[in-house]
Every structure is written in structure tokens, then in C-alpha cells.
């Protein structure tokens, strides 16, 4: 019985970690997208390139 509870707790911890990671990733992407839009509006090429690279790195890391 104890082993079953430990296994359930482990799986629950994994789910919690996945949900938190997804929320953090989503927020980072949204923030970068807003800043990318601002860089485009301001025609700031340096910021646009930097933020584009940041966005691409998120895609590489998380496959989203």
C-alpha cells in the first residue's frame, strides 16, 4: 500500500512539474511575441533579431 502511494505521489509530482513548465514556457513565448511586435513597430532591427533568436531557442529547447 505504501509503495502504491509513493508511486502515485511521484506521478502527481511529474504532472505538477509538467503543468508548471508549460505555464512558464507559454508566458515566456507570449512575452517575447509582444516584444517582437514592439520591435517591428519601432523598426528596431537589432531587438528584432535578438528576440527572434530567443524565440527560436525556446522552440529548440522545448519543441513547441
Amino acid at each position: 500500500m505504501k509503495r502504491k502511494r509513493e508511486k502515485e505521489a511521484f506521478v502527481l509530482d511529474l504532472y505538477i512539474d509538467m503543468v508548471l513548465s508549460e505555464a512558464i514556457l507559454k508566458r515566456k513565448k507570449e512575452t517575447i511575441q509582444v516584444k517582437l511586435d514592439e520591435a517591428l513597430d519601432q523598426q528596431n532591427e537589432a531587438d528584432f533579431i535578438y528576440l527572434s533568436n530567443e524565440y527560436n531557442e525556446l522552440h529548440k529547447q522545448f519543441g513547441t
Side-chain angles (χ1 to χ4, degrees), residues 10-21:
F10 176 75
V11 172
L12 184 59
D13 286 344
L14 284 177
Y15 286 143
I16 291 168
D17 186 48
M18 289 170 53
V19 168
L20 290 175
S21 294

Side-chain angles (χ1 to χ4, degrees), residues 33-47:
Q33 287 172 333
V34 167
K35 289 180 179 181
L36 274 168
D37 288 342
E38 290 172 358
L40 282 172
D41 290 342
Q42 298 169 2
Q43 297 179 349
N44 187 332
E45 185 177 357
D47 282 353

